[in-house]
Amino acid sequence: MTWELPIIFICSAGSLVFAWGLARWVLGKDTGTPAMKAISDAIKEGAEAFMRRQNRTILFLAALFAAILFIGYGFVRSHHDFDPVSSSMTLASWITLSFVFGALCSVFAGYIGMWVSIRANIRTASAARSSLNDALRIALRGGAVSGLLVVAMSLLGVAGLYALVNAVSHVEVTKIPLLIVGYGFGASFVALFAQVGGGIYTKAADVGADLVGKVEAGIPEDDPRNPAVIADLVGDNVGDCAGRGADLFESTAAENIGAMILGASLASYAGKAGMGFSAGIVGVMLFPLVARAFGIIASIVGIMSVKMDREEKMDPMQALNRGYYIAVVLAMAAFGGTSYWLLNSPAAPQAWWHFFLCGVLGVLTSVAFVYITQYYTEYKYRPVQSIAEASKTGPATNIIAGIGVGLECTWMPALVMGAALLGSYYLGRASGLPHAGLFGTAVATMGMLATAAYILAMDTFGPITDNAGGIVEMSQQPEDIRRKTDRLDSVGNTTKALTKGYAIGSAGLAAFLLFQAYMDEVVQYAGLGEGFAFRVDLSKPVVFVGALLGAMLVFLFSAMCIRAVGSAAQAIIQEVRRQYAKLTRVNDIIQFPADFKPDYGSCVDIVTKSALQKMVAPGLLVVLSPIAVGLTFKVFINPADKLIAAEAVAGMLMVGTIVGILMALFLNNSGGAWDNAKKYIETGAHGGKYLTGADGKKTKNPTHGAAVVGDTVGDPFKDTAGPSLHVLIKLLSTITLVLAPLFL
Amino acid sequence: MTWELPIIFICSAGSLVFAWGLARWVLGKDTGTPAMKAISDAIKEGAEAFMRRQNRTILFLAALFAAILFIGYGFVRSHHDFDPVSSSMTLASWITLSFVFGALCSVFAGYIGMWVSIRANIRTASAARSSLNDALRIALRGGAVSGLLVVAMSLLGVAGLYALVNAVSHVEVTKIPLLIVGYGFGASFVALFAQVGGGIYTKAADVGADLVGKVEAGIPEDDPRNPAVIADLVGDNVGDCAGRGADLFESTAAENIGAMILGASLASYAGKAGMGFSAGIVGVMLFPLVARAFGIIASIVGIMSVKMDREEKMDPMQALNRGYYIAVVLAMAAFGGTSYWLLNSPAAPQAWWHFFLCGVLGVLTSVAFVYITQYYTEYKYRPVQSIAEASKTGPATNIIAGIGVGLECTWMPALVMGAALLGSYYLGRASGLPHAGLFGTAVATMGMLATAAYILAMDTFGPITDNAGGIVEMSQQPEDIRRKTDRLDSVGNTTKALTKGYAIGSAGLAAFLLFQAYMDEVVQYAGLGEGFAFRVDLSKPVVFVGALLGAMLVFLFSAMCIRAVGSAAQAIIQEVRRQYAKLTRVNDIIQFPADFKPDYGSCVDIVTKSALQKMVAPGLLVVLSPIAVGLTFKVFINPADKLIAAEAVAGMLMVGTIVGILMALFLNNSGGAWDNAKKYIETGAHGGKYLTGADGKKTKNPTHGAAVVGDTVGDPFKDTAGPSLHVLIKLLSTITLVLAPLFL
């Protein structure tokens, strides 16, 4: 008996049980004062209403797409001898089934993550009244529920489908991944709409609330007098947690399947060259899943070891970092052991540790991404300070400086990613096995994603602490409690920025792996045999045009996301202005009557409707573009070039990915830098928030006003378009994987 | 005797004489009142001082690079049997000579163009006092001096170098283009620095002048009380005329040489297949030059036919369009005739008209680009109106809307460019000749560039009328004269935007031609023979990383340009604020004393220094990056893949071009749209420039203020980074063409 599948099932099922335990632990905590509860309930209600409506729309679209997929594979495409199964109908059934299963799991993972986090927020807020350590742990463990659930479910889904196909059909094991690629695509499909919809929701509310609240009315963030404030807090949950959960769910799912395809092809090459692995083809193919399973356990240990020192004076970020390092070290140790176990080829004794080094390279890459993100988005460093400095001459120079920083920040990640790709490729080549370069890049991606559960826990920590801060602020708790939640909130902002850097880095590495899986698949489906070299030759006009369209797709998609936020935010602004219209102003500052009660519900309604309506077009654009290119460019197929349409799609995919990565870096980091430039000024730099005149009168500091403009512009950049581009990149890969046979 | 070279020399020399005549005609016109002359002299002085210093810097850098080129080819690279000439030293000499010659011609063309335009501006202003028709003709003919000079010199240079090499050496004629590629590179080298330096100058001055003038001080554009106004007017000349002149000079030069390389290779393929052209290999190779020569004559006729109707009621744009259509029709007729003459193959009788249709497709593409640009940048249409609408909720939503429009506007040009490339490729393939697809795309480019001289005349018309308007404004001429120059100025803004669309379209088509020339060259230099297929396979990690770096280069370069403008503008703002600090303000509006005399000189100085200092880094980045990639990636060369470094450079070049085109569209069109959104509000939309309160007091309209922020952000986008990217795209192509042998 082989141990791979049992280990995978035990670890992932165990993690789900553990997540359930964590959720119970979090839910058992105190829920604070009635005032806090009222606010938390309002958030919960808004978030659940939105999620319900959003999931209904997404599931409808997914069902539609599943039907098209089934018809396309089952009836339109005719059966070929070299198909992995014996009939069109069987192929269609497996692909559609895995698509539907992936979509359902992704919806479920996103929903549960949000369900816990909208309950963890008030418990974090309440705990902050007594102990910062407790608050930190509640927020992190609340986040961990989401993190563990996402990663374990994605693993369980892939392994379960694999085992199912293996049990009920007679397919050659190495071809099973071709049947279950739909799982990753189903997950991406849901992730895209969830991230776009949630991203539009969160930023439309945030931009609207900021512009009228902070700038026009001069009231602080999360002030209860702002009618858009509840919508803003709801947005943190539906955009940041649910969206990111679905995003990382599909990252790990797609990457697992892609790596399985490459592992199977490596092992079969090696076998033919007489250099077979001791663990067999199945062992190599399941290597990614086993490594991931151990990674989850490592992440659990890391999460449980996070705590503050006794006096609570340490930086909470330091506590989180310590947990992360523990998780990384354990995960790497397990990675090394698994490499030795499953990637051992007696004929190439040095192979296993070459692959292990690829994994280490992946981890180092993720660390580099984290440091680069910090440099470009924290106010200790030159970039953010230059934006703050530029704010002195008004909003226009603030914007110019921020866009400059955003465009500039792409250079280091591009170099690091290039070095990681080439490094792992050449490490793989040096392993002594034939065709092992690409598997090397795949292993680097696995290394990077080994601690995905921990990273996702830190990411969801962000919206939980953000919400906790909002609840404390709105329920008007004493200053020292606010200071505690502010500390956690600021750490949450950092973790959110860092995980975005991590997500984009892993998307970049994973994409290269998925390209190769796509190319492998095209060759297999075209029945061209393993020796055939499928190229993506940009110098062919058809491929070049595919590439041009891929790059354009990124621009157009970003435009649609950004414009959606802009127009939804305008609706919010008009609504808040309407509610404020009758209040009196002194010296341009609104004088709120003591009994002022804003209408939160109207803002929640407006933004829910807009987000649901506006998420459809960008989502469909991404899903339909590669299909349109692949099918249209079939007219260029000729006997000398049978794969030209598939090649054009590959050009689209690869260049779309390159541009998507750079555009996401631009959007994420310029947004983060603007945000922190504003915060830097709020710490007192360049005059702070208010200026005091010679007569002692307080006036708004125009430098701060200029920085708020930049912060607002950055909102849809960093929280709508940027993270949605991560999903776009991966969706392009998974959709082409699933639809490849249709382009032949 | 063959007629090709005589025709080329007669047409281009004749055009130079004609340009000289036009210049004399313009200079013979009246120079207006002493007040106008004083302003014009200040502009002239500032512009000439900057150009002198800028040219000194550029020529120094060019000399340095020429030395490196000579050493690299003459001493570092060893001679190969298949080199086009018999020794390294000869190769080095020709390449360096043509580089130096190209650089000198480009400097000269830029300088003379500006020399005429800073003299045409006052004559246009003066003529506007009596007749709009006269003013229009002076401005257009002043612009035409530049247009004719640039295109004719570029043609004369290429043809002259060709004739020179042919006369003094024994090189096979088809290899001559390989020796003179340096000409295009020399021209690009100068164009890049001229465009970046001029672009930084013009926008730093403009942004600075606008922010303190219009926004803070509330004085109109071009108001003599603004200390930065002279620097702003100088900027129009050094950025818009000199920069664009150098840009189009190199477009035509590089495209001519690239098309010659492809023509030679097509003709030799056809000859081997027994389908030789009646005009011989030389005839096909010189086809691009002959077509260009006739295109210049067509442009001259078009330019001379521009006039207003008697009552001067027609839209001046209509007069310019009529001239353009005349030029296009004549150029296409000549193109058809030349195709019939030089591209006639008795064995493929339908070939010539297939190529003619490719040329027509090129013209249609340029027309499509012009219409798309209009749609996205004119305030009659939805995009600009949506930005104006978004300004109602402040600068942040204005910026978000503008960035949305800019990112969105890339989709139609990408589709049109893709269709043009594929259409001309398949037309070429259908010609009946072997390997004729790529030549088809080259001919489409020639068609597009046939009327380059006319387009450039219209482009330079822009800064001349802009300056004329400034002179009329500053010398406080009566309202009805201002209205005339305003009409011309607004047409000038349109022509500037349109020619940018044209430039990016032609850069895109030309780039594909230059890729192929590069690949042809690599195969020739590597001695691999004509049958060898050099591919640019993106699925190789090394090539993929090259592509990633190419895309990143575009982001980083744009960042450097934009940041340079931002920081230079801040220096201007501080200086103007210093000069305004002592003036009293009533109701936030500065009260200027009657005798207020600003210090123009200090602003001119500040911006001259900054522009010269900040143009060096982005320029060197573009020049050195492909070299660094080409040389570094030589470590990956292995016996199975000897061309891997050259292939990685090709990946960098192609993906850099794709991203460069899209980024340039984004920057140019968002900038244009913001500009016109502001102008739209100034026509009275959304309240106009000032609001009148219930008490009759005039206050600034915040909607207009928000639109001014967008306009200012757009300045470095559309006039610094955007146009510099056009040059970047072409420089990448020419530098790789020149340095290809070093990457082998």
Side-chain angles (χ1 to χ4, degrees):
Chain A
M1 119 148 230
T2 54
W3 285 98
E4 294 90 347
L5 278 177
I7 288 180
I8 297 166
F9 284 121
I10 291 169
C11 289
S12 48
S15 306
L16 288 181
V17 173
F18 193 86
W20 181 75
L22 279 185
R24 292 208 34 133
W25 181 85
V26 169
L27 293 177
K29 297 288 169 181
D30 178 70
T31 53
T33 66
M36 290 163 82
K37 240 177 116 47
I39 297 156
S40 165
D41 285 344
I43 298 172
K44 212 155 48 183
E45 194 186 313
E48 286 181 341
F50 176 73
M51 284 295 279
R52 262 198 309 276
R53 290 176 60 178
Q54 191 189 39
N55 285 338
R56 216 179 309 149
T57 312
I58 294 177
L59 288 175
F60 170 75
L61 289 168
L64 205 70
F65 206 81
I68 295 173
L69 214 53
F70 188 76
I71 294 168
Y73 270 98
F75 299 97
V76 179
R77 179 178 179 271
S78 48
H79 179 68
H80 292 278
D81 289 343
F82 35 76
D83 279 0
V85 284
S86 56
S87 79
S88 286
M89 207 43 76
T90 322
L91 187 65
S93 306
W94 281 118
I95 288 180
T96 311
L97 173 76
S98 54
F99 173 82
V100 171
F101 188 48
L104 288 175
C105 287
S106 183
V107 163
F108 183 72
Y111 188 79
I112 293 290
M114 189 212 64
W115 191 91
V116 175
S117 91
I118 53 181
R119 284 159 177 84
N121 55 12
I122 185 167
R123 290 165 173 87
T124 303
S126 171
R129 292 180 305 164
S130 49
S131 149
L132 185 59
N133 187 35
D134 285 354
L136 173 75
R137 295 179 118 190
I138 292 173
L140 182 66
R141 292 178 183 188
V145 174
S146 180
L148 292 173
L149 207 72
V150 159
V151 181
M153 272 184 52
S154 130
L155 184 56
L156 204 56
V158 173
L161 274 173
Y162 173 86
L164 181 70
V165 177
N166 201 17
V168 306
S169 80
H170 302 289
V171 183
E172 204 187 309
V173 279
T174 56
K175 296 211 164 172
I176 295 178
L178 295 182
L179 297 178
I180 63 176
V181 283
Y183 187 75
F185 175 44
S188 320
F189 188 93
V190 170
L192 183 74
F193 287 97
Q195 179 64 64
V196 173
I200 294 172
Y201 188 110
T202 176
K203 289 303 126 169
D206 191 5
V207 167
D210 275 13
L211 280 181
V212 275
K214 289 198 221 172
V215 184
E216 292 187 13
I219 53 179
E221 198 164 334
D222 294 336
D223 192 287
R225 292 166 296 182
N226 190 334
V229 71
I230 292 288
D232 185 8
L233 291 169
V234 169
D236 290 334
N237 291 295
V238 300
D240 291 349
C241 325
R244 198 67 41 80
D247 173 2
L248 276 179
F249 178 83
E250 74 100 348
S251 276
T252 52
E255 187 260 353
N256 280 336
I257 297 173
M260 285 170 79
I261 294 180
L262 288 187
S265 109
L266 171 74
S268 86
Y269 272 122
K272 280 178 198 154
M275 308 178 86
F277 289 91
S278 342
I281 292 184
V282 174
V284 178
M285 200 167 68
L286 294 180
F287 169 76
L289 306 188
V290 176
R292 176 65 39 82
F294 288 134
I296 303 181
I297 306 296
S299 296
I300 290 180
V301 178
I303 288 161
M304 298 315 289
S305 66
V306 169
K307 63 161 190 270
M308 299 284 287
D309 55 349
R310 283 274 176 82
E311 295 85 25
E312 307 204 330
K313 276 188 187 145
M314 80 192 286
D315 181 358
M317 193 66 220
Q318 215 181 311
L320 292 178
N321 278 338
R322 201 177 46 200
Y324 178 59
Y325 292 131
I326 291 173
V328 164
V329 169
L330 288 176
M332 279 302 103
F335 204 89
T338 316
S339 304
Y340 183 72
W341 171 32
L342 295 175
L343 300 180
N344 206 346
S345 162
Q350 70 282 49
W352 74 270
W353 62 263
H354 274 85
F355 291 122
F356 172 56
L357 286 185
C358 292
V360 174
L361 198 59
V363 172
L364 293 179
T365 306
S366 64
V367 172
F369 262 77
V370 163
Y371 276 105
I372 296 168
T373 310
Q374 283 184 319
Y375 176 73
Y376 275 102
T377 57
E378 286 193 0
Y379 60 64
K380 280 183 279 189
Y381 305 104
R382 195 258 317 157
V384 173
Q385 290 187 353
S386 73
I387 297 176
E389 174 75 31
S391 309
K392 281 159 57 180
T393 39
T397 42
N398 165 287
I399 298 291
I400 291 174
I403 289 190
V405 165
L407 291 170
E408 183 196 304
C409 80
T410 53
W411 76 273
M412 275 198 279
L415 288 183
V416 168
M417 197 178 293
L421 264 179
L422 292 179
S424 56
Y425 182 77
Y426 281 88
L427 266 173
R429 287 245 294 220
S431 68
L433 293 169
H435 299 275
L438 294 175
F439 192 68
T441 64
V443 179
T445 315
M446 292 172 220
M448 198 166 187
L449 286 174
T451 51
Y454 192 95
I455 296 282
L456 192 54
M458 285 219 289
D459 189 51
T460 311
F461 176 86
I464 293 175
T465 54
D466 190 332
N467 264 241
I471 292 169
V472 164
E473 180 92 19
M474 286 186 67
S475 61
Q476 290 163 337
Q477 300 295 317
E479 186 62 26
D480 66 311
I481 295 170
R482 285 195 208 185
R483 226 177 290 127
K484 280 188 199 161
T485 52
D486 278 356
R487 273 171 77 186
L488 288 182
D489 187 16
S490 105
V491 170
N493 279 332
T494 307
T495 59
K496 273 198 296 187
L498 298 186
T499 49
K500 265 181 238 160
Y502 173 87
I504 194 72
S506 65
L509 277 188
F512 199 75
L513 176 170
L514 294 170
F515 300 158
Q516 303 297 338
Y518 168 75
M519 293 174 65
D520 248 44
E521 195 192 356
V522 167
V523 172
Q524 288 206 33
Y525 270 110
L528 291 164
E530 271 177 354
F532 183 84
F534 178 37
R535 296 192 178 86
V536 183
D537 184 359
L538 258 193
S539 70
K540 290 183 188 167
V542 177
V543 181
F544 184 79
V545 171
L548 174 66
L549 296 179
M552 177 273 276
L553 179 63
V554 171
F555 279 75
L556 182 55
F557 174 79
S558 307
M560 289 169 113
C561 293
I562 291 173
R563 288 186 49 201
V565 172
S567 62
Q570 280 185 55
I572 289 278
I573 293 172
Q574 308 285 16
E575 168 62 22
V576 176
R577 280 190 183 162
R578 189 189 62 75
Q579 295 193 25
Y580 281 175
K582 284 175 207 141
L583 305 176
T584 52
R585 283 156 198 258
V586 174
N587 205 14
D588 211 21
I589 294 176
I590 295 179
Q591 308 297 306
F592 286 94
D595 61 345
F596 180 72
K597 275 233 177 304
D599 176 6
Y600 301 126
S602 64
C603 288
V604 171
D605 260 7
I606 286 174
V607 78
T608 300
K609 275 189 207 126
S610 310
L612 288 177
Q613 186 194 330
K614 285 174 201 296
M615 76 180 183
V616 177
L620 288 183
L621 174 76
V622 179
V623 175
L624 298 181
S625 294
I627 303 179
V629 167
L631 296 182
T632 312
F633 282 23
K634 281 174 96 166
V635 302
F636 298 120
I637 290 178
N638 63 69
D641 209 350
K642 284 184 193 159
L643 303 181
I644 188 74
E647 195 175 341
V649 171
M652 177 176 211
L653 167 63
M654 291 182 179
V655 174
T657 299
I658 290 177
V659 179
I661 291 170
L662 297 176
M663 186 70 90
L665 285 166
F666 160 57
L667 295 169
N668 288 341
N669 289 344
S670 59
W674 270 314
D675 188 351
N676 281 329
K678 180 202 69 178
K679 292 211 171 98
Y680 179 53
I681 292 173
E682 285 172 357
T683 65
H686 304 299
K689 212 160 164 180
Y690 293 98
L691 297 177
T692 314
D695 52 357
K697 256 202 261 170
K698 258 180 144 187
T699 52
K700 292 187 214 163
N701 180 0
T703 305
H704 180 253
V708 172
V709 172
D711 177 38
T712 308
V713 170
D715 275 336
F717 281 30
K718 72 178 197 299
D719 290 316
T720 312
S724 299
L725 281 173
H726 306 174
V727 193
L728 176 144
I729 293 169
K730 285 170 290 180
L731 186 104
L732 281 180
S733 297
T734 53
I735 193 172
T736 48
L737 262 179
V738 171
L739 298 179
L742 300 181
F743 307 148
L744 297 173
Chain B
M1 116 151 236
T2 53
W3 285 98
E4 292 91 346
L5 278 177
I7 288 178
I8 296 165
F9 283 121
I10 290 169
C11 289
S12 50
S15 307
L16 289 180
V17 173
F18 194 85
W20 182 76
L22 280 186
R24 293 212 29 138
W25 180 84
V26 169
L27 293 177
K29 297 288 170 181
D30 178 69
T31 53
T33 67
M36 289 163 81
K37 236 175 119 50
I39 296 154
S40 163
D41 285 346
I43 298 172
K44 210 153 53 183
E45 198 187 311
E48 286 180 342
F50 175 73
M51 283 296 279
R52 263 197 309 274
R53 290 175 63 177
Q54 189 189 39
N55 284 336
R56 219 180 304 149
T57 312
I58 293 177
L59 288 174
F60 170 76
L61 290 168
L64 205 72
F65 206 81
I68 295 172
L69 214 54
F70 189 76
I71 294 168
Y73 269 99
F75 300 97
V76 179
R77 178 177 180 272
S78 50
H79 179 71
H80 292 279
D81 289 342
F82 36 76
D83 279 1
V85 284
S86 55
S87 79
S88 286
M89 206 43 76
T90 321
L91 186 64
S93 305
W94 281 119
I95 287 179
T96 312
L97 175 76
S98 54
F99 174 80
V100 170
F101 188 50
L104 288 175
C105 286
S106 183
V107 163
F108 183 73
Y111 189 79
I112 293 290
M114 187 212 65
W115 191 91
V116 174
S117 90
I118 54 182
R119 285 161 177 83
N121 56 10
I122 184 166
R123 289 166 174 87
T124 303
S126 170
R129 292 181 305 164
S130 50
S131 148
L132 184 60
N133 186 36
D134 284 356
L136 174 75
R137 296 179 116 191
I138 292 173
L140 182 66
R141 292 179 182 186
V145 173
S146 184
L148 292 174
L149 208 71
V150 159
V151 181
M153 273 183 53
S154 130
L155 184 58
L156 204 56
V158 173
L161 274 172
Y162 173 86
L164 181 70
V165 177
N166 200 18
V168 306
S169 79
H170 301 288
V171 184
E172 204 187 308
V173 281
T174 56
K175 296 212 163 171
I176 295 178
L178 295 181
L179 297 179
I180 63 176
V181 282
Y183 187 75
F185 176 43
S188 320
F189 188 93
V190 169
L192 183 74
F193 287 97
Q195 179 66 64
V196 173
I200 295 173
Y201 189 111
T202 177
K203 289 302 126 169
D206 191 5
V207 169
D210 274 13
L211 280 181
V212 276
K214 288 196 223 173
V215 185
E216 293 188 14
I219 53 180
E221 197 165 333
D222 294 336
D223 191 288
R225 292 166 297 182
N226 189 334
V229 71
I230 291 288
D232 185 9
L233 291 170
V234 169
D236 291 335
N237 291 294
V238 301
D240 291 349
C241 332
R244 198 67 41 81
D247 173 1
L248 275 180
F249 179 83
E250 74 98 350
S251 277
T252 52
E255 186 261 354
N256 279 336
I257 297 173
M260 285 170 80
I261 294 179
L262 288 188
S265 106
L266 171 73
S268 84
Y269 272 123
K272 279 177 198 154
M275 306 178 87
F277 288 92
S278 342
I281 292 184
V282 174
V284 178
M285 199 166 69
L286 294 179
F287 169 76
L289 306 188
V290 175
R292 177 64 40 82
F294 287 133
I296 303 181
I297 306 297
S299 297
I300 290 179
V301 177
I303 289 161
M304 298 313 290
S305 65
V306 169
K307 63 162 192 272
M308 301 284 285
D309 55 349
R310 282 278 175 79
E311 295 85 22
E312 307 202 332
K313 275 186 189 146
M314 80 192 286
D315 180 359
M317 195 64 220
Q318 212 181 315
L320 292 178
N321 278 338
R322 200 176 48 200
Y324 177 59
Y325 291 131
I326 291 174
V328 165
V329 169
L330 288 176
M332 278 302 104
F335 205 89
T338 316
S339 303
Y340 182 71
W341 172 31
L342 295 174
L343 300 180
N344 204 345
S345 161
Q350 69 284 47
W352 73 270
W353 63 263
H354 274 87
F355 292 123
F356 171 57
L357 286 185
C358 292
V360 173
L361 197 58
V363 172
L364 293 179
T365 307
S366 64
V367 172
F369 263 76
V370 163
Y371 276 104
I372 296 167
T373 311
Q374 284 183 319
Y375 175 71
Y376 275 101
T377 57
E378 287 193 0
Y379 59 64
K380 278 182 282 190
Y381 305 103
R382 192 260 317 155
V384 173
Q385 290 187 354
S386 74
I387 298 176
E389 175 76 31
S391 309
K392 280 159 58 182
T393 41
T397 40
N398 165 287
I399 299 291
I400 291 174
I403 289 188
V405 165
L407 291 170
E408 181 196 304
C409 80
T410 53
W411 75 274
M412 274 199 278
L415 289 184
V416 168
M417 199 178 292
L421 264 178
L422 292 179
S424 55
Y425 182 78
Y426 281 87
L427 266 174
R429 287 243 295 220
S431 68
L433 293 168
H435 298 274
L438 296 175
F439 191 69
T441 66
V443 178
T445 316
M446 291 173 220
M448 198 166 187
L449 286 173
T451 51
Y454 192 94
I455 295 284
L456 192 53
M458 283 218 291
D459 189 50
T460 311
F461 174 87
I464 293 175
T465 53
D466 191 332
N467 265 239
I471 291 170
V472 164
E473 181 94 16
M474 287 186 67
S475 60
Q476 291 161 336
Q477 300 293 318
E479 187 61 27
D480 66 311
I481 296 172
R482 287 196 207 182
R483 225 176 293 128
K484 280 187 198 164
T485 53
D486 278 356
R487 274 173 74 186
L488 288 182
D489 188 15
S490 104
V491 170
N493 279 332
T494 308
T495 60
K496 275 199 295 188
L498 297 186
T499 50
K500 264 181 240 159
Y502 174 85
I504 195 71
S506 65
L509 277 188
F512 199 75
L513 176 170
L514 293 169
F515 301 158
Q516 303 297 338
Y518 168 76
M519 294 174 65
D520 247 46
E521 195 193 356
V522 167
V523 172
Q524 288 207 31
Y525 269 110
L528 291 165
E530 270 175 354
F532 183 83
F534 177 37
R535 295 191 178 84
V536 183
D537 184 359
L538 259 192
S539 70
K540 292 182 189 168
V542 178
V543 181
F544 184 79
V545 171
L548 175 66
L549 296 180
M552 177 273 277
L553 180 64
V554 170
F555 280 75
L556 182 55
F557 174 81
S558 306
M560 290 170 114
C561 292
I562 291 172
R563 288 187 49 201
V565 172
S567 63
Q570 280 185 56
I572 289 277
I573 293 172
Q574 307 285 15
E575 168 63 21
V576 175
R577 281 190 181 163
R578 189 190 62 77
Q579 294 193 26
Y580 282 176
K582 285 175 206 138
L583 304 176
T584 52
R585 282 157 199 259
V586 173
N587 202 13
D588 211 22
I589 293 175
I590 294 180
Q591 307 297 305
F592 287 95
D595 62 345
F596 179 72
K597 275 234 176 305
D599 176 6
Y600 301 127
S602 64
C603 289
V604 171
D605 261 7
I606 286 173
V607 77
T608 299
K609 275 189 208 128
S610 314
L612 288 177
Q613 189 196 326
K614 286 173 199 299
M615 76 179 182
V616 176
L620 288 183
L621 173 76
V622 179
V623 174
L624 299 180
S625 295
I627 303 180
V629 168
L631 296 181
T632 313
F633 283 22
K634 281 174 93 167
V635 304
F636 298 118
I637 289 179
N638 64 66
D641 209 351
K642 284 185 191 159
L643 302 182
I644 188 74
E647 196 174 341
V649 171
M652 176 176 211
L653 169 62
M654 290 181 180
V655 174
T657 299
I658 288 176
V659 179
I661 291 169
L662 297 176
M663 185 70 89
L665 285 166
F666 161 55
L667 295 169
N668 289 340
N669 289 343
S670 59
W674 270 315
D675 187 351
N676 282 329
K678 180 201 70 178
K679 292 213 171 97
Y680 178 54
I681 292 173
E682 285 172 358
T683 64
H686 304 300
K689 212 161 166 178
Y690 294 99
L691 297 176
T692 313
D695 52 358
K697 256 203 261 174
K698 258 178 145 187
T699 52
K700 292 187 215 164
N701 179 359
T703 304
H704 179 254
V708 172
V709 171
D711 177 37
T712 308
V713 170
D715 275 336
F717 281 29
K718 73 179 197 299
D719 290 317
T720 311
S724 298
L725 282 173
H726 305 174
V727 192
L728 176 145
I729 292 169
K730 284 170 289 182
L731 187 107
L732 282 179
S733 296
T734 54
I735 194 171
T736 47
L737 262 179
V738 170
L739 297 179
L742 301 179
F743 308 147
L744 297 173

